[in-house]
Amino acid sequence: MISISDVISLIENAIKLSKKVKDKDLNNILLELQAAVLQFGTQNLELQDKYSKLKKYIEIPDNVYLDDDGFLCRKNDKVKYCASCWNKDRRLSLMPKKGTYNLMAGDFNTKSYTYECSACKYQIYSDKEQIY
């Protein structure tokens, strides 16, 4: 695969040849081409940087997982986080320690306690009264 520095080197060689031929128009075009390639290289570096940042953003770190109730957890950390906030914004929003008792737990679901994220209002249901 040819690199940008290889293209610049080829253009520089073409400029030297155009000076021997003493063609001013050809030399000007080659200088413009060289400037365009340099600009392309700068844009390429910026795009590679953005790509790296986006890749880090969408990758799931090795220390993050969902527990059986659907809380986001980090290894070696007892605190529970909101899975919705993580999926949407890659933000670790703390879930409350204690759940709210579900009066209708027996009618609609088997989970007795509701945990609501204070940031996004996402709710997770659990049998545990206290999660950490």
Side-chain angles (χ1 to χ4, degrees):
M1 181 176 188
I2 192 165
S3 70
I4 292 174
S5 60
D6 293 336
V7 173
I8 291 172
S9 178
L10 288 171
I11 292 171
E12 287 172 348
N13 290 338
I15 289 171
K16 289 176 188 173
L17 286 173
S18 74
K19 286 179 181 177
K20 286 182 183 179
V21 175
K22 295 184 180 175
D23 186 342
K24 184 178 178 181
D25 291 333
L26 176 60
N27 194 32
N28 287 339
I29 290 171
L30 289 171
L31 287 172
E32 287 177 26
L33 180 61
Q34 185 178 25
V37 169
L38 287 171
Q39 185 179 11
F40 174 72
T42 301
Q43 289 174 346
N44 186 33
L45 290 174
E46 290 170 0
L47 287 173
Q48 285 179 5
D49 185 46
K50 286 181 183 180
Y51 170 77
S52 295
K53 288 177 183 174
L54 283 172
K55 187 176 176 185
K56 287 179 186 176
Y57 180 78
I58 63 171
E59 286 180 341
I60 298 175
D62 292 340
N63 68 335
V64 173
Y65 65 95
L66 284 177
D67 71 3
D68 293 337
D69 286 322
F71 292 102
L72 186 79
C73 304
R74 292 189 302 182
K75 289 181 183 169
N76 303 321
D77 187 1
K78 66 180 181 174
V79 179
K80 309 286 183 169
Y81 301 94
C82 176
S84 179
C85 286
W86 176 258
N87 288 335
K88 194 171 104 187
D89 301 321
R90 287 298 189 255
R91 179 180 57 192
L92 291 173
S93 297
L94 288 172
M95 293 300 280
K97 283 183 180 183
K98 288 187 111 179
T100 305
Y101 182 71
N102 263 337
L103 293 175
M104 296 187 217
D107 295 339
F108 295 107
N109 66 40
T110 58
K111 308 287 180 162
S112 302
Y113 296 93
T114 303
Y115 293 85
E116 184 174 277
C117 175
S118 60
C120 73
K121 305 303 180 203
Y122 181 74
Q123 293 181 343
I124 297 176
Y125 301 99
S126 174
D127 286 326
K128 300 171 193 139
E129 181 180 2
Q130 190 163 332
I131 54 174
Y132 59 94

